[in-house]
PDB file of all heavy atoms in Angstrom:
ATOM      1  N   THR D 283     -22.182   0.359  -9.086  1.00  0.00           N
ATOM      2  CA  THR D 283     -22.611   1.577  -9.840  1.00  0.00           C
ATOM      3  C   THR D 283     -23.645   2.338  -9.084  1.00  0.00           C
ATOM      4  O   THR D 283     -23.599   3.588  -9.020  1.00  0.00           O
ATOM      5  CB  THR D 283     -23.102   1.177 -11.254  1.00  0.00           C
ATOM      6  OG1 THR D 283     -22.020   0.539 -11.971  1.00  0.00           O
ATOM      7  CG2 THR D 283     -23.524   2.409 -12.022  1.00  0.00           C
ATOM      8  N   ALA D 284     -24.640   1.616  -8.526  1.00  0.00           N
ATOM      9  CA  ALA D 284     -25.731   2.288  -7.780  1.00  0.00           C
ATOM     10  C   ALA D 284     -25.196   2.977  -6.584  1.00  0.00           C
ATOM     11  O   ALA D 284     -25.588   4.153  -6.263  1.00  0.00           O
ATOM     12  CB  ALA D 284     -26.756   1.216  -7.337  1.00  0.00           C
ATOM     13  N   ILE D 285     -24.256   2.350  -5.838  1.00  0.00           N
ATOM     14  CA  ILE D 285     -23.687   3.002  -4.616  1.00  0.00           C
ATOM     15  C   ILE D 285     -22.858   4.239  -5.051  1.00  0.00           C
ATOM     16  O   ILE D 285     -22.931   5.297  -4.425  1.00  0.00           O
ATOM     17  CB  ILE D 285     -22.887   2.035  -3.799  1.00  0.00           C
ATOM     18  CG1 ILE D 285     -23.790   0.925  -3.228  1.00  0.00           C
ATOM     19  CG2 ILE D 285     -22.160   2.732  -2.634  1.00  0.00           C
ATOM     20  CD1 ILE D 285     -23.035  -0.209  -2.593  1.00  0.00           C
ATOM     21  N   LEU D 286     -22.075   4.037  -6.081  1.00  0.00           N
ATOM     22  CA  LEU D 286     -21.201   5.112  -6.631  1.00  0.00           C
ATOM     23  C   LEU D 286     -22.007   6.396  -6.940  1.00  0.00           C
ATOM     24  O   LEU D 286     -21.615   7.467  -6.619  1.00  0.00           O
ATOM     25  CB  LEU D 286     -20.457   4.637  -7.803  1.00  0.00           C
ATOM     26  CG  LEU D 286     -19.357   5.562  -8.385  1.00  0.00           C
ATOM     27  CD1 LEU D 286     -18.217   5.695  -7.411  1.00  0.00           C
ATOM     28  CD2 LEU D 286     -18.841   4.992  -9.727  1.00  0.00           C
ATOM     29  N   ARG D 287     -23.206   6.179  -7.497  1.00  0.00           N
ATOM     30  CA  ARG D 287     -24.045   7.333  -7.972  1.00  0.00           C
ATOM     31  C   ARG D 287     -24.525   8.128  -6.832  1.00  0.00           C
ATOM     32  O   ARG D 287     -24.946   9.268  -6.958  1.00  0.00           O
ATOM     33  CB  ARG D 287     -25.174   6.807  -8.830  1.00  0.00           C
ATOM     34  CG  ARG D 287     -24.759   6.298 -10.183  1.00  0.00           C
ATOM     35  CD  ARG D 287     -26.011   6.056 -11.030  1.00  0.00           C
ATOM     36  NE  ARG D 287     -26.678   7.326 -11.410  1.00  0.00           N
ATOM     37  CZ  ARG D 287     -27.923   7.353 -11.806  1.00  0.00           C
ATOM     38  NH1 ARG D 287     -28.709   6.268 -11.810  1.00  0.00           N
ATOM     39  NH2 ARG D 287     -28.467   8.528 -12.147  1.00  0.00           N
ATOM     40  N   THR D 288     -24.631   7.505  -5.586  1.00  0.00           N
ATOM     41  CA  THR D 288     -25.156   8.269  -4.427  1.00  0.00           C
ATOM     42  C   THR D 288     -24.155   9.237  -3.877  1.00  0.00           C
ATOM     43  O   THR D 288     -24.556  10.147  -3.137  1.00  0.00           O
ATOM     44  CB  THR D 288     -25.574   7.299  -3.304  1.00  0.00           C
ATOM     45  OG1 THR D 288     -24.398   6.680  -2.765  1.00  0.00           O
ATOM     46  CG2 THR D 288     -26.568   6.236  -3.816  1.00  0.00           C
ATOM     47  N   ASP D 289     -22.845   9.042  -4.204  1.00  0.00           N
ATOM     48  CA  ASP D 289     -21.831   9.974  -3.702  1.00  0.00           C
ATOM     49  C   ASP D 289     -21.852  10.073  -2.160  1.00  0.00           C
ATOM     50  O   ASP D 289     -21.697  11.138  -1.593  1.00  0.00           O
ATOM     51  CB  ASP D 289     -22.017  11.373  -4.299  1.00  0.00           C
ATOM     52  CG  ASP D 289     -20.751  12.210  -4.142  1.00  0.00           C
ATOM     53  OD1 ASP D 289     -19.603  11.631  -4.026  1.00  0.00           O
ATOM     54  OD2 ASP D 289     -20.879  13.468  -4.069  1.00  0.00           O
ATOM     55  N   THR D 290     -21.982   8.894  -1.517  1.00  0.00           N
ATOM     56  CA  THR D 290     -22.078   8.888  -0.066  1.00  0.00           C
ATOM     57  C   THR D 290     -20.901   8.139   0.587  1.00  0.00           C
ATOM     58  O   THR D 290     -20.278   8.709   1.497  1.00  0.00           O
ATOM     59  CB  THR D 290     -23.384   8.221   0.411  1.00  0.00           C
ATOM     60  OG1 THR D 290     -23.523   6.885  -0.178  1.00  0.00           O
ATOM     61  CG2 THR D 290     -24.608   9.066   0.082  1.00  0.00           C
ATOM     62  N   VAL D 291     -20.650   6.969   0.149  1.00  0.00           N
ATOM     63  CA  VAL D 291     -19.546   6.156   0.643  1.00  0.00           C
ATOM     64  C   VAL D 291     -18.730   5.585  -0.535  1.00  0.00           C
ATOM     65  O   VAL D 291     -19.326   5.213  -1.574  1.00  0.00           O
ATOM     66  CB  VAL D 291     -20.078   5.031   1.578  1.00  0.00           C
ATOM     67  CG1 VAL D 291     -21.037   4.126   0.854  1.00  0.00           C
ATOM     68  CG2 VAL D 291     -18.949   4.247   2.230  1.00  0.00           C
ATOM     69  N   ARG D 292     -17.421   5.532  -0.361  1.00  0.00           N
ATOM     70  CA  ARG D 292     -16.598   5.135  -1.488  1.00  0.00           C
ATOM     71  C   ARG D 292     -16.676   3.690  -1.776  1.00  0.00           C
ATOM     72  O   ARG D 292     -16.705   2.848  -0.843  1.00  0.00           O
ATOM     73  CB  ARG D 292     -15.167   5.518  -1.188  1.00  0.00           C
ATOM     74  CG  ARG D 292     -14.189   5.270  -2.361  1.00  0.00           C
ATOM     75  CD  ARG D 292     -12.799   5.691  -2.131  1.00  0.00           C
ATOM     76  NE  ARG D 292     -12.014   5.359  -3.249  1.00  0.00           N
ATOM     77  CZ  ARG D 292     -10.609   5.488  -3.284  1.00  0.00           C
ATOM     78  NH1 ARG D 292     -10.004   5.905  -2.164  1.00  0.00           N
ATOM     79  NH2 ARG D 292      -9.896   5.170  -4.351  1.00  0.00           N
ATOM     80  N   VAL D 293     -16.733   3.379  -3.031  1.00  0.00           N
ATOM     81  CA  VAL D 293     -16.627   1.967  -3.544  1.00  0.00           C
ATOM     82  C   VAL D 293     -15.641   1.975  -4.708  1.00  0.00           C
ATOM     83  O   VAL D 293     -15.419   3.018  -5.335  1.00  0.00           O
ATOM     84  CB  VAL D 293     -17.965   1.395  -4.050  1.00  0.00           C
ATOM     85  CG1 VAL D 293     -18.943   1.219  -2.941  1.00  0.00           C
ATOM     86  CG2 VAL D 293     -18.549   2.241  -5.145  1.00  0.00           C
ATOM     87  N   PRO D 294     -14.970   0.894  -4.958  1.00  0.00           N
ATOM     88  CA  PRO D 294     -14.071   0.813  -6.177  1.00  0.00           C
ATOM     89  C   PRO D 294     -15.010   1.065  -7.460  1.00  0.00           C
ATOM     90  O   PRO D 294     -16.024   0.466  -7.546  1.00  0.00           O
ATOM     91  CB  PRO D 294     -13.512  -0.551  -6.117  1.00  0.00           C
ATOM     92  CG  PRO D 294     -13.646  -1.032  -4.744  1.00  0.00           C
ATOM     93  CD  PRO D 294     -14.905  -0.379  -4.270  1.00  0.00           C
ATOM     94  N   LYS D 295     -14.512   1.923  -8.296  1.00  0.00           N
ATOM     95  CA  LYS D 295     -15.285   2.180  -9.494  1.00  0.00           C
ATOM     96  C   LYS D 295     -15.237   0.954 -10.412  1.00  0.00           C
ATOM     97  O   LYS D 295     -14.197   0.505 -10.855  1.00  0.00           O
ATOM     98  CB  LYS D 295     -14.683   3.383 -10.248  1.00  0.00           C
ATOM     99  CG  LYS D 295     -15.456   3.777 -11.483  1.00  0.00           C
ATOM    100  CD  LYS D 295     -14.853   5.040 -12.154  1.00  0.00           C
ATOM    101  CE  LYS D 295     -15.664   5.449 -13.399  1.00  0.00           C
ATOM    102  NZ  LYS D 295     -15.057   6.642 -14.035  1.00  0.00           N
ATOM    103  N   PRO D 296     -16.395   0.429 -10.781  1.00  0.00           N
ATOM    104  CA  PRO D 296     -16.466  -0.748 -11.705  1.00  0.00           C
ATOM    105  C   PRO D 296     -16.193  -0.290 -13.149  1.00  0.00           C
ATOM    106  O   PRO D 296     -16.598   0.831 -13.539  1.00  0.00           O
ATOM    107  CB  PRO D 296     -17.862  -1.275 -11.526  1.00  0.00           C
ATOM    108  CG  PRO D 296     -18.689  -0.061 -11.162  1.00  0.00           C
ATOM    109  CD  PRO D 296     -17.756   0.809 -10.358  1.00  0.00           C
ATOM    110  N   ILE D 297     -15.489  -1.120 -13.904  1.00  0.00           N
ATOM    111  CA  ILE D 297     -15.115  -0.763 -15.265  1.00  0.00           C
ATOM    112  C   ILE D 297     -15.862  -1.680 -16.277  1.00  0.00           C
ATOM    113  O   ILE D 297     -16.560  -1.198 -17.169  1.00  0.00           O
ATOM    114  CB  ILE D 297     -13.604  -0.835 -15.418  1.00  0.00           C
ATOM    115  CG1 ILE D 297     -12.893   0.174 -14.496  1.00  0.00           C
ATOM    116  CG2 ILE D 297     -13.233  -0.581 -16.896  1.00  0.00           C
ATOM    117  CD1 ILE D 297     -11.404   0.049 -14.442  1.00  0.00           C
ATOM    118  N   LYS D 298     -15.714  -2.958 -16.133  1.00  0.00           N
ATOM    119  CA  LYS D 298     -16.309  -3.893 -17.131  1.00  0.00           C
ATOM    120  C   LYS D 298     -16.286  -5.292 -16.648  1.00  0.00           C
ATOM    121  O   LYS D 298     -15.434  -5.721 -15.925  1.00  0.00           O
ATOM    122  CB  LYS D 298     -15.509  -3.785 -18.465  1.00  0.00           C
ATOM    123  CG  LYS D 298     -16.174  -4.463 -19.592  1.00  0.00           C
ATOM    124  CD  LYS D 298     -15.405  -4.185 -20.909  1.00  0.00           C
ATOM    125  CE  LYS D 298     -16.108  -4.838 -22.070  1.00  0.00           C
ATOM    126  NZ  LYS D 298     -15.404  -4.583 -23.368  1.00  0.00           N
ATOM    127  N   VAL D 299     -17.330  -6.035 -17.049  1.00  0.00           N
ATOM    128  CA  VAL D 299     -17.363  -7.458 -16.839  1.00  0.00           C
ATOM    129  C   VAL D 299     -16.823  -8.157 -18.122  1.00  0.00           C
ATOM    130  O   VAL D 299     -17.252  -7.882 -19.216  1.00  0.00           O
ATOM    131  CB  VAL D 299     -18.782  -7.966 -16.548  1.00  0.00           C
ATOM    132  CG1 VAL D 299     -18.812  -9.525 -16.399  1.00  0.00           C
ATOM    133  CG2 VAL D 299     -19.300  -7.351 -15.260  1.00  0.00           C
ATOM    134  N   LEU D 300     -15.801  -8.983 -17.944  1.00  0.00           N
ATOM    135  CA  LEU D 300     -15.157  -9.674 -19.052  1.00  0.00           C
ATOM    136  C   LEU D 300     -15.498 -11.143 -18.986  1.00  0.00           C
ATOM    137  O   LEU D 300     -15.518 -11.764 -17.973  1.00  0.00           O
ATOM    138  CB  LEU D 300     -13.628  -9.470 -18.962  1.00  0.00           C
ATOM    139  CG  LEU D 300     -13.093  -8.051 -19.001  1.00  0.00           C
ATOM    140  CD1 LEU D 300     -11.569  -8.071 -18.854  1.00  0.00           C
ATOM    141  CD2 LEU D 300     -13.471  -7.390 -20.349  1.00  0.00           C
ATOM    142  N   ASP D 301     -15.678 -11.694 -20.194  1.00  0.00           N
ATOM    143  CA  ASP D 301     -15.791 -13.189 -20.285  1.00  0.00           C
ATOM    144  C   ASP D 301     -14.378 -13.781 -20.192  1.00  0.00           C
ATOM    145  O   ASP D 301     -13.403 -13.186 -20.770  1.00  0.00           O
ATOM    146  CB  ASP D 301     -16.412 -13.542 -21.683  1.00  0.00           C
ATOM    147  CG  ASP D 301     -17.872 -13.148 -21.727  1.00  0.00           C
ATOM    148  OD1 ASP D 301     -18.545 -13.098 -20.662  1.00  0.00           O
ATOM    149  OD2 ASP D 301     -18.345 -12.834 -22.831  1.00  0.00           O
ATOM    150  N   ALA D 302     -14.273 -14.856 -19.485  1.00  0.00           N
ATOM    151  CA  ALA D 302     -12.963 -15.547 -19.268  1.00  0.00           C
ATOM    152  C   ALA D 302     -13.056 -16.903 -19.850  1.00  0.00           C
ATOM    153  O   ALA D 302     -14.137 -17.462 -20.084  1.00  0.00           O
ATOM    154  CB  ALA D 302     -12.577 -15.538 -17.787  1.00  0.00           C
ATOM    155  N   PRO D 303     -11.909 -17.545 -20.053  1.00  0.00           N
ATOM    156  CA  PRO D 303     -11.904 -18.918 -20.612  1.00  0.00           C
ATOM    157  C   PRO D 303     -12.655 -19.861 -19.742  1.00  0.00           C
ATOM    158  O   PRO D 303     -12.737 -19.706 -18.531  1.00  0.00           O
ATOM    159  CB  PRO D 303     -10.355 -19.263 -20.646  1.00  0.00           C
ATOM    160  CG  PRO D 303      -9.711 -17.917 -20.736  1.00  0.00           C
ATOM    161  CD  PRO D 303     -10.573 -16.974 -19.946  1.00  0.00           C
ATOM    162  N   GLY D 304     -13.240 -20.854 -20.364  1.00  0.00           N
ATOM    163  CA  GLY D 304     -13.934 -21.897 -19.640  1.00  0.00           C
ATOM    164  C   GLY D 304     -15.346 -21.504 -19.185  1.00  0.00           C
ATOM    165  O   GLY D 304     -15.912 -22.140 -18.326  1.00  0.00           O
ATOM    166  N   GLY D 305     -15.861 -20.433 -19.746  1.00  0.00           N
ATOM    167  CA  GLY D 305     -17.209 -19.972 -19.390  1.00  0.00           C
ATOM    168  C   GLY D 305     -17.300 -19.148 -18.157  1.00  0.00           C
ATOM    169  O   GLY D 305     -18.394 -18.823 -17.675  1.00  0.00           O
ATOM    170  N   SER D 306     -16.156 -18.823 -17.521  1.00  0.00           N
ATOM    171  CA  SER D 306     -16.189 -17.982 -16.358  1.00  0.00           C
ATOM    172  C   SER D 306     -16.122 -16.466 -16.784  1.00  0.00           C
ATOM    173  O   SER D 306     -16.167 -16.128 -17.970  1.00  0.00           O
ATOM    174  CB  SER D 306     -15.013 -18.294 -15.457  1.00  0.00           C
ATOM    175  OG  SER D 306     -13.739 -18.098 -16.109  1.00  0.00           O
ATOM    176  N   SER D 307     -16.088 -15.623 -15.763  1.00  0.00           N
ATOM    177  CA  SER D 307     -16.004 -14.189 -16.049  1.00  0.00           C
ATOM    178  C   SER D 307     -15.200 -13.484 -15.002  1.00  0.00           C
ATOM    179  O   SER D 307     -14.878 -14.095 -13.957  1.00  0.00           O
ATOM    180  CB  SER D 307     -17.450 -13.609 -16.124  1.00  0.00           C
ATOM    181  OG  SER D 307     -18.127 -13.809 -14.861  1.00  0.00           O
ATOM    182  N   ALA D 308     -14.919 -12.215 -15.205  1.00  0.00           N
ATOM    183  CA  ALA D 308     -14.113 -11.469 -14.280  1.00  0.00           C
ATOM    184  C   ALA D 308     -14.675  -9.996 -14.310  1.00  0.00           C
ATOM    185  O   ALA D 308     -15.150  -9.500 -15.315  1.00  0.00           O
ATOM    186  CB  ALA D 308     -12.669 -11.435 -14.678  1.00  0.00           C
ATOM    187  N   LEU D 309     -14.594  -9.347 -13.142  1.00  0.00           N
ATOM    188  CA  LEU D 309     -15.022  -7.985 -12.969  1.00  0.00           C
ATOM    189  C   LEU D 309     -13.782  -7.092 -12.877  1.00  0.00           C
ATOM    190  O   LEU D 309     -13.005  -7.263 -11.922  1.00  0.00           O
ATOM    191  CB  LEU D 309     -15.924  -7.772 -11.755  1.00  0.00           C
ATOM    192  CG  LEU D 309     -16.299  -6.359 -11.433  1.00  0.00           C
ATOM    193  CD1 LEU D 309     -17.081  -5.662 -12.555  1.00  0.00           C
ATOM    194  CD2 LEU D 309     -17.168  -6.346 -10.151  1.00  0.00           C
ATOM    195  N   VAL D 310     -13.620  -6.182 -13.806  1.00  0.00           N
ATOM    196  CA  VAL D 310     -12.501  -5.241 -13.768  1.00  0.00           C
ATOM    197  C   VAL D 310     -12.974  -3.964 -13.035  1.00  0.00           C
ATOM    198  O   VAL D 310     -14.038  -3.445 -13.429  1.00  0.00           O
ATOM    199  CB  VAL D 310     -12.004  -4.895 -15.143  1.00  0.00           C
ATOM    200  CG1 VAL D 310     -10.848  -3.898 -15.135  1.00  0.00           C
ATOM    201  CG2 VAL D 310     -11.631  -6.148 -15.925  1.00  0.00           C
ATOM    202  N   MET D 311     -12.242  -3.551 -12.056  1.00  0.00           N
ATOM    203  CA  MET D 311     -12.621  -2.332 -11.329  1.00  0.00           C
ATOM    204  C   MET D 311     -11.357  -1.581 -10.930  1.00  0.00           C
ATOM    205  O   MET D 311     -10.216  -2.044 -11.065  1.00  0.00           O
ATOM    206  CB  MET D 311     -13.443  -2.677 -10.077  1.00  0.00           C
ATOM    207  CG  MET D 311     -12.687  -3.448  -8.987  1.00  0.00           C
ATOM    208  SD  MET D 311     -13.761  -3.908  -7.616  1.00  0.00           S
ATOM    209  CE  MET D 311     -14.461  -5.451  -8.271  1.00  0.00           C
ATOM    210  N   GLU D 312     -11.573  -0.388 -10.453  1.00  0.00           N
ATOM    211  CA  GLU D 312     -10.546   0.505  -9.968  1.00  0.00           C
ATOM    212  C   GLU D 312      -9.675  -0.183  -8.915  1.00  0.00           C
ATOM    213  O   GLU D 312     -10.225  -0.831  -7.991  1.00  0.00           O
ATOM    214  CB  GLU D 312     -11.145   1.763  -9.391  1.00  0.00           C
ATOM    215  CG  GLU D 312     -10.203   2.675  -8.648  1.00  0.00           C
ATOM    216  CD  GLU D 312     -10.977   3.739  -7.834  1.00  0.00           C
ATOM    217  OE1 GLU D 312     -12.204   3.640  -7.679  1.00  0.00           O
ATOM    218  OE2 GLU D 312     -10.319   4.689  -7.369  1.00  0.00           O
ATOM    219  N   HIS D 313      -8.349  -0.010  -8.964  1.00  0.00           N
ATOM    220  CA  HIS D 313      -7.474  -0.503  -7.931  1.00  0.00           C
ATOM    221  C   HIS D 313      -7.516   0.505  -6.782  1.00  0.00           C
ATOM    222  O   HIS D 313      -7.316   1.678  -6.941  1.00  0.00           O
ATOM    223  CB  HIS D 313      -6.073  -0.691  -8.413  1.00  0.00           C
ATOM    224  CG  HIS D 313      -5.088  -0.968  -7.350  1.00  0.00           C
ATOM    225  ND1 HIS D 313      -5.035  -2.194  -6.691  1.00  0.00           N
ATOM    226  CD2 HIS D 313      -4.168  -0.215  -6.706  1.00  0.00           C
ATOM    227  CE1 HIS D 313      -4.090  -2.152  -5.758  1.00  0.00           C
ATOM    228  NE2 HIS D 313      -3.543  -0.967  -5.757  1.00  0.00           N
ATOM    229  N   VAL D 314      -7.728   0.008  -5.527  1.00  0.00           N
ATOM    230  CA  VAL D 314      -7.652   0.819  -4.356  1.00  0.00           C
ATOM    231  C   VAL D 314      -6.682   0.177  -3.388  1.00  0.00           C
ATOM    232  O   VAL D 314      -6.779  -1.056  -3.016  1.00  0.00           O
ATOM    233  CB  VAL D 314      -9.041   0.934  -3.665  1.00  0.00           C
ATOM    234  CG1 VAL D 314      -8.944   1.813  -2.471  1.00  0.00           C
ATOM    235  CG2 VAL D 314     -10.077   1.523  -4.649  1.00  0.00           C
ATOM    236  N   ASP D 315      -5.696   0.912  -2.938  1.00  0.00           N
ATOM    237  CA  ASP D 315      -4.716   0.375  -2.003  1.00  0.00           C
ATOM    238  C   ASP D 315      -5.310   0.412  -0.582  1.00  0.00           C
ATOM    239  O   ASP D 315      -5.205   1.460   0.104  1.00  0.00           O
ATOM    240  CB  ASP D 315      -3.435   1.218  -2.067  1.00  0.00           C
ATOM    241  CG  ASP D 315      -2.307   0.643  -1.272  1.00  0.00           C
ATOM    242  OD1 ASP D 315      -2.395  -0.518  -0.837  1.00  0.00           O
ATOM    243  OD2 ASP D 315      -1.291   1.346  -1.064  1.00  0.00           O
ATOM    244  N   MET D 316      -5.936  -0.639  -0.178  1.00  0.00           N
ATOM    245  CA  MET D 316      -6.714  -0.680   1.063  1.00  0.00           C
ATOM    246  C   MET D 316      -6.011  -1.390   2.165  1.00  0.00           C
ATOM    247  O   MET D 316      -5.133  -2.230   1.957  1.00  0.00           O
ATOM    248  CB  MET D 316      -8.088  -1.422   0.780  1.00  0.00           C
ATOM    249  CG  MET D 316      -8.912  -0.780  -0.251  1.00  0.00           C
ATOM    250  SD  MET D 316     -10.511  -1.625  -0.474  1.00  0.00           S
ATOM    251  CE  MET D 316     -10.002  -3.212  -1.080  1.00  0.00           C
ATOM    252  N   ARG D 317      -6.414  -1.059   3.391  1.00  0.00           N
ATOM    253  CA  ARG D 317      -5.984  -1.752   4.606  1.00  0.00           C
ATOM    254  C   ARG D 317      -7.218  -1.955   5.453  1.00  0.00           C
ATOM    255  O   ARG D 317      -8.307  -1.448   5.200  1.00  0.00           O
ATOM    256  CB  ARG D 317      -4.928  -0.894   5.359  1.00  0.00           C
ATOM    257  CG  ARG D 317      -5.421   0.495   5.695  1.00  0.00           C
ATOM    258  CD  ARG D 317      -4.348   1.306   6.448  1.00  0.00           C
ATOM    259  NE  ARG D 317      -4.816   2.640   6.808  1.00  0.00           N
ATOM    260  CZ  ARG D 317      -4.619   3.746   6.046  1.00  0.00           C
ATOM    261  NH1 ARG D 317      -3.903   3.611   4.918  1.00  0.00           N
ATOM    262  NH2 ARG D 317      -5.054   4.893   6.441  1.00  0.00           N
ATOM    263  N   ALA D 318      -7.052  -2.703   6.558  1.00  0.00           N
ATOM    264  CA  ALA D 318      -8.204  -3.013   7.438  1.00  0.00           C
ATOM    265  C   ALA D 318      -8.810  -1.767   7.998  1.00  0.00           C
ATOM    266  O   ALA D 318      -8.055  -0.780   8.322  1.00  0.00           O
ATOM    267  CB  ALA D 318      -7.753  -3.955   8.585  1.00  0.00           C
ATOM    268  N   LEU D 319     -10.106  -1.728   8.181  1.00  0.00           N
ATOM    269  CA  LEU D 319     -10.808  -0.582   8.747  1.00  0.00           C
ATOM    270  C   LEU D 319     -10.301  -0.380  10.150  1.00  0.00           C
ATOM    271  O   LEU D 319     -10.280  -1.284  10.976  1.00  0.00           O
ATOM    272  CB  LEU D 319     -12.279  -0.839   8.785  1.00  0.00           C
ATOM    273  CG  LEU D 319     -13.192   0.283   9.297  1.00  0.00           C
ATOM    274  CD1 LEU D 319     -13.159   1.482   8.355  1.00  0.00           C
ATOM    275  CD2 LEU D 319     -14.607  -0.196   9.463  1.00  0.00           C
ATOM    276  N   ASP D 320      -9.973   0.858  10.473  1.00  0.00           N
ATOM    277  CA  ASP D 320      -9.434   1.218  11.792  1.00  0.00           C
ATOM    278  C   ASP D 320      -9.825   2.652  12.136  1.00  0.00           C
ATOM    279  O   ASP D 320     -10.806   2.891  12.767  1.00  0.00           O
ATOM    280  CB  ASP D 320      -7.900   1.035  11.806  1.00  0.00           C
ATOM    281  CG  ASP D 320      -7.276   1.287  13.171  1.00  0.00           C
ATOM    282  OD1 ASP D 320      -8.032   1.260  14.180  1.00  0.00           O
ATOM    283  OD2 ASP D 320      -6.045   1.495  13.250  1.00  0.00           O
ATOM    284  N   SER D 321      -9.004   3.616  11.717  1.00  0.00           N
ATOM    285  CA  SER D 321      -9.236   4.983  12.145  1.00  0.00           C
ATOM    286  C   SER D 321     -10.441   5.640  11.522  1.00  0.00           C
ATOM    287  O   SER D 321     -10.868   6.692  12.004  1.00  0.00           O
ATOM    288  CB  SER D 321      -7.922   5.825  11.853  1.00  0.00           C
ATOM    289  OG  SER D 321      -7.710   5.792  10.430  1.00  0.00           O
TER     290      SER D 321
END
C-alpha cells in the first residue's frame, strides 16, 4: 500500500488479508501476468 501510494513503481494492488484454516492467513492481491525482468 505504501509503495502504491507513491505512484513510482508498479506493485500488485493488495486487497485483503484473510484468515485461513488452522490459524494461517492469506493475502489477496491483484493478479498480474508477469514474466522475468528483461527489457
